[in-house]
Amino acid sequence: PTPTATSTAWPAATGSKPVTATIAVSGTLDGGNARYFGSGALGGDGQDEGQDPLFKLADGAVLKNVILGAPAADGVHCSGSCTLINVWWENVGEDAATFKGGTSATYTVDGGGAKGADDKVFQHNGGGTLTIKNFQVSDFGKLYRSCGNCSTQHQRAVVVQNVVATAPAGSLVGINQNYGDTATLSKITVVGKKSLD
Ligand code: ADA
Ligand code: CA
Ligand code: CA
Ligand code: CA
């Protein structure tokens, strides 16, 4: 039989917390399914580049059981390797998460989901390998983009496993073959669209 991706239900928020200054995470932050939303200087909900993130993860940090509400500004930034477990974006801001580590960085998004991305969900600007697994995404432009115009360009890799994607506006992933990027997709279910760009 054809493998079919599976997804779990979105969690109910246990509380709501305004974020007026970027939260620096090193080690592990377990949000207990609280909803964090941008406020004040982090109150941007549009597509302006250069917004700050709600969470900035140090190399090796883990962010888990967090709901990002609206506005979500520039979401989550990873400075090095990072792990996002059961992180949910109710309405993606400029993008959901940006991966900025070096060439040997590994980033994992395991569980969670995202909705309402005018353009990209995951933006890969550094080097290394991003794995996105057990994830669900709907109402979005592109699940993943390897930066096409970053000031330092890298060869990047993305692995997408067990993802349910509902009606992408564009393609699932965008990579730069001229830089030797790779994309490895398995167990993807696309709902509501017959073909991808
Ligand atoms: C756009 C832009 C990139 C980078 C990226 C981001 O793709 O062209 O240079 O800024 O957004 O990190 O949001
Ligand atoms: Ca952008
Ligand atoms: Ca961005
Ligand atoms: Ca949005």
Side-chain angles (χ1 to χ4, degrees), residues 1-5 187-189:
T2 308
T4 303
K187 223 176 159 191
I188 310 295
T189 297

Side-chain angles (χ1 to χ4, degrees), residues 115-130:
K115 300 179 197 173
D118 286 0
D119 186 12
K120 292 165 281 189
V121 178
F122 296 121
Q123 173 77 32
H124 194 169
N125 291 355
T129 299
L130 169 62

Side-chain angles (χ1 to χ4, degrees), residues 49 74 94-95 98 120 123 125 147 149-150:
E49 299 291 348
D74 211 40
E94 202 280 307
D95 45 43
T98 307
K120 292 165 281 189
Q123 173 77 32
N125 291 355
C147 187
N149 63 0
C150 284

Side-chain angles (χ1 to χ4, degrees), residues 39-92:
S39 178
L42 293 176
D45 208 8
Q47 291 301 296
D48 292 348
E49 299 291 348
Q51 296 179 64
D52 286 327
L54 300 194
F55 297 93
K56 183 175 181 187
L57 276 57
D59 187 26
V62 178
L63 185 68
K64 63 195 290 191
N65 303 322
V66 161
I67 301 170
L68 283 87
D74 211 40
V76 176
H77 287 186
C78 288
S79 316
S81 295
C82 64
T83 305
L84 311 184
I85 300 175
N86 297 332
V87 176
W88 304 84
W89 288 262
E90 293 180 325
N91 189 343
V92 173

